[in-house]
Amino acid sequence: MDNHLTVVSHPLVQHKLTLMRRREASTAEFRRLLREVSLLIGYEVTRNLAMTTVKIDTPMMPMDAPILDGKKLALISILRAGNGLLDGVLELVPAARVGFIGLYRDPETLKPVQYYAKVPDALEDRLTIAVDPMLATGNSSVAAIDLLKAKGAKNIRFLCLLASPEGIAVMKAAHPDVPIITAAVDDRLDDHGYIVPGLGDAGDRMFGTK
Ligand code: URA
């Protein structure tokens, strides 16, 4: 573990991830587990949020109580699989602003092609958390972070479920200032750019498509 990469080794995360990886996990089970894992890794990605204090009255007495500081954070889902992580993190931070970046992977070149982007305003003043379950080749993640930086984001974190060593290296080369938080780092990519052992196509598994 270094500053650029955090692997959330919590036993509940690892247990749930194993259940999700199984070929026989149903769509409903996969989705439920993804939501549960996203709460746990979302807890980790929000660990160092800036805090301030506010004066409140408890039923007993006034106090200076801790509260989140600064502008609402921005959650950016990288479509479509990002939505599976988004839901859980949004439960933890319901006031977050939400953006979407649509990228598909050209099956020939494995390069990302952008087809949609709508992100919150004032990204320069917000902690921006990009979510995508699979950091595979890293190409689409780099493209999404490029876009967020072009829109002004300066403080960005990348949250995923599984990462490949290749994807981590590509992200670190392009965006060394963007920490990656993941539940696991798998062995490698296969010839089609899939993570192995992995869990297959995260989007297909959570939405029941093929
Ligand atoms: N996207 C997925 O959904 N799975 C992979 O293994 C790689 C990219």
Side-chain angles (χ1 to χ4, degrees), residues 149-200:
K149 287 186 174 175
K151 300 265 185 198
K154 292 187 169 60
N155 184 7
I156 308 173
R157 298 178 193 176
F158 186 86
L159 181 65
C160 60
L161 187 62
L162 281 188
S164 71
E166 296 91 332
I168 293 167
V170 166
M171 275 284 276
K172 188 165 189 174
H175 296 296
D177 57 316
V178 176
I180 297 166
I181 295 88
T182 185
V185 179
D186 272 12
D187 294 347
R188 60 183 174 82
L189 295 179
D190 73 5
D191 293 342
H192 305 284
Y194 276 80
I195 298 175
V196 287
L199 49 72

Side-chain angles (χ1 to χ4, degrees), residues 1-208:
M1 183 149 88
D2 57 32
N3 283 342
H4 186 253
L5 178 69
T6 301
V7 179
V8 185
S9 57
H10 192 289
L12 286 178
V13 172
Q14 298 305 314
H15 176 81
K16 290 173 193 295
L17 180 57
T18 297
L19 298 181
M20 294 176 73
R21 288 181 189 268
R22 292 170 311 143
R23 178 190 290 277
E24 65 272 22
S26 69
T27 302
E29 193 182 2
F30 188 91
R31 212 180 276 157
R32 176 180 59 76
L33 288 161
L34 179 59
R35 193 188 140 276
E36 292 171 5
V37 172
S38 63
L39 291 172
L40 295 163
I41 59 178
Y43 180 80
E44 194 60 40
V45 78
T46 53
R47 179 177 286 284
N48 302 314
L49 293 187
M51 302 293 294
T52 185
T53 55
V54 64
K55 290 190 189 309
I56 62 167
D57 295 313
T58 79
M60 309 300 291
M61 60 179 288
M63 77 173 281
D64 290 324
I67 193 166
L68 293 175
D69 193 20
K71 267 194 163 329
K72 305 276 185 285
L73 64 80
L75 298 176
I76 309 294
S77 171
I78 302 174
L79 297 172
R80 69 183 164 147
N83 283 10
L85 279 185
L86 174 70
D87 291 346
V89 183
L90 208 42
E91 273 186 52
L92 290 179
V93 199
R97 303 304 188 239
V98 179
F100 297 92
I101 296 177
L103 297 164
Y104 69 87
R105 191 162 57 156
D106 185 298
E108 301 285 305
T109 64
L110 303 185
K111 297 273 185 240
V113 182
Q114 183 192 313
Y115 63 89
Y116 186 77
K118 179 91 179 172
V119 298
D121 67 0
L123 280 188
E124 56 279 9
D125 299 327
R126 302 180 191 276
L127 170 64
T128 301
I129 301 175
V131 299
D132 187 354
M134 310 298 271
L135 173 54
T137 63
N139 294 334
S140 57
S141 314
V142 167
I145 305 297
D146 285 344
L147 188 143
L148 292 172
K149 287 186 174 175
K151 300 265 185 198
K154 292 187 169 60
N155 184 7
I156 308 173
R157 298 178 193 176
F158 186 86
L159 181 65
C160 60
L161 187 62
L162 281 188
S164 71
E166 296 91 332
I168 293 167
V170 166
M171 275 284 276
K172 188 165 189 174
H175 296 296
D177 57 316
V178 176
I180 297 166
I181 295 88
T182 185
V185 179
D186 272 12
D187 294 347
R188 60 183 174 82
L189 295 179
D190 73 5
D191 293 342
H192 305 284
Y194 276 80
I195 298 175
V196 287
L199 49 72
D201 188 296
D204 282 347
R205 295 209 61 188
M206 74 182 71
F207 296 121

